[in-house]
Amino acid sequence: MKKLAGLDYEKAVKYLNEQARPLERALYQYHFEGGAGDAVLYELAAYQNADGGFGRGLGPDIRLDDSSVNATAIAFQRLREISAPADHPVVVNACRYLVATYNEKRINWPIIPINIDDAPHAPWWVHGGDLEKSMCNPRVGLAGYANDYPEHFPMREALTQAVFDYLFQQPDQMEMHDLLSYIQFWETKTLPDEKRARVLDKLLRVVENTVERDATQWKNYVLSPLFVVSSPESPFAALFPVEIEQNLDYLIDCRNESGVWEPNWSWGGLWPEVWALARREWTGVQTLSSLRKLKAFGRID
């Protein structure tokens, strides 16, 4: 069993402190050093617009300053990480944005900003493409976050029931991002116990049929075990006892020469100077995520 040695851990932390965004630095402090959630909220607020939504490159693959549902969904992931209070202005305004942009007829949100081409972005973010038809990502995760803050979402019950019903119309194998959205939904502690139990029963089958077990494929953009198993306490951990240990070893091995974790995707040559910035930001995000997984499994010396 491999472990991240002390000096290697220090290299990763040095990168976070010197090269990563202030947001990832604040999150590192929160998860590893007992830092305050208020510091995370302060840094997150830098990405929030007057309409309450988030943009400004919060998701490094979309550089648009304007708010988008995608960026706002990322913000809610961070809000959940720190258990942000419902009455904090960042939370109140973010909820206001989601209520304002919600399409009650579709029981969904617009996925791609109509003005996506006003700023550099990853080539898969295309207005009018197939992504806009998605009924899972980010809708399902947002349904979970609506249940984190029920007082701010008048459509919460209808939305929750819609994404719950949609899950059971799907086969026992799903597109990776759709599955991750449903895991976020299941992780919502305020969902009724009966609903959470039924969702988990379905997800256990989907996870078993969707996760890539072949270690030779993990270098590609695939759903490896550690994408769905964030700690030994995960209900999905028992499905992959051997593969998780292999995946942890692989995670330690796939650091770059600087001792950090880079994205394994690119923008295919588009906006090379902007991609270099996005790549560095993603490296901070990936490095923090990897350290958290290694810590959870006791793989840091």
Side-chain angles (χ1 to χ4, degrees):
M1 180 178 71
K2 297 181 179 180
K3 286 194 173 185
L4 189 69
L7 289 176
D8 291 327
Y9 172 73
E10 290 174 11
K11 284 182 183 179
V13 174
K14 185 174 188 290
Y15 183 91
L16 290 173
N17 286 331
E18 296 180 358
Q19 300 292 327
R21 301 183 298 187
L23 175 60
E24 278 68 52
R25 293 203 295 270
L27 284 164
Y28 170 78
Q29 290 292 326
Y30 178 83
H31 289 295
F32 285 82
E33 303 290 345
D38 282 347
V40 176
L41 285 165
Y42 176 83
E43 299 299 344
L44 196 58
Y47 298 91
Q48 192 169 33
N49 290 311
D51 61 6
F54 288 79
R56 305 178 182 275
L58 177 58
D61 280 343
I62 296 179
R63 312 305 300 186
L64 196 66
D65 281 344
D66 294 350
S67 299
S68 71
V69 173
N70 304 78
T72 305
I74 294 171
F76 272 90
Q77 293 174 27
R78 306 289 89 83
L79 293 173
R80 177 177 281 184
E81 279 183 40
I82 63 171
S83 301
D87 61 352
H88 193 283
V90 169
V91 175
V92 173
N93 291 326
C95 294
R96 172 171 58 87
Y97 170 79
L98 287 181
V99 171
T101 53
Y102 179 70
N103 185 320
E104 189 171 2
K105 184 177 180 181
R106 292 190 67 226
I107 319 181
N108 203 352
W109 282 269
I111 305 302
I112 312 296
I114 193 169
N115 61 332
I116 185 70
D117 290 331
D118 288 353
H121 56 85
W124 48 88
W125 293 118
V126 179
H127 180 72
D130 289 341
L131 286 176
E132 289 195 67
K133 302 173 185 176
S134 171
M135 298 302 287
C136 287
N137 181 32
R139 178 180 80 144
V140 172
L142 290 173
Y145 303 135
N147 281 273
D148 286 344
Y149 302 106
E151 61 269 52
H152 294 307
F153 290 94
M155 71 292 204
R156 173 182 57 87
E157 290 187 7
L159 172 63
T160 301
Q161 190 62 47
V163 301
F164 179 79
D165 293 341
Y166 188 77
L167 173 62
F168 295 97
Q169 299 168 17
Q170 306 311 304
D172 286 348
Q173 185 172 17
M174 296 176 69
E175 192 274 335
M176 62 181 285
H177 299 93
D178 293 350
L179 171 56
L180 292 173
S181 291
Y182 267 107
I183 291 175
Q184 292 169 6
F185 181 69
W186 172 80
E187 288 173 343
T188 306
K189 301 298 190 294
T190 53
L191 287 178
D193 289 343
E194 183 270 339
K195 267 191 168 59
R196 286 195 81 216
R198 287 193 59 196
V199 170
L200 178 59
D201 182 65
K202 170 72 171 181
L203 290 182
L204 285 167
R205 299 193 298 274
V206 176
V207 166
E208 187 164 23
N209 289 310
T210 305
V211 166
E212 178 58 70
R213 297 171 182 268
D214 183 355
T216 66
Q217 297 301 313
W218 293 341
K219 65 181 182 296
N220 301 316
Y221 192 73
V222 298
L223 193 70
S224 66
L226 290 178
F227 271 96
V228 300
V229 181
S230 58
S231 75
E233 290 73 39
S234 167
F236 310 115
L239 299 175
F240 312 102
V242 175
E243 292 87 349
I244 288 171
E245 296 304 318
Q246 294 174 337
N247 205 178
L248 288 163
D249 288 346
Y250 172 80
L251 188 62
I252 291 171
D253 286 342
C254 71
R255 292 166 295 141
N256 69 10
E257 64 278 2
S258 299
V260 295
W261 288 266
E262 296 177 318
N264 63 345
W265 67 92
S266 76
W267 289 2
L270 296 176
W271 298 289
E273 292 183 1
V274 181
W275 165 244
L277 172 61
R279 184 169 178 263
R280 187 173 78 242
E281 293 175 348
W282 273 123
T283 300
V285 173
Q286 298 283 92
T287 296
L288 176 60
S289 174
S290 297
L291 290 178
R292 290 184 64 195
K293 291 171 185 174
L294 294 173
K295 177 185 177 184
F297 284 92
R299 290 295 198 98
I300 298 177
D301 269 344

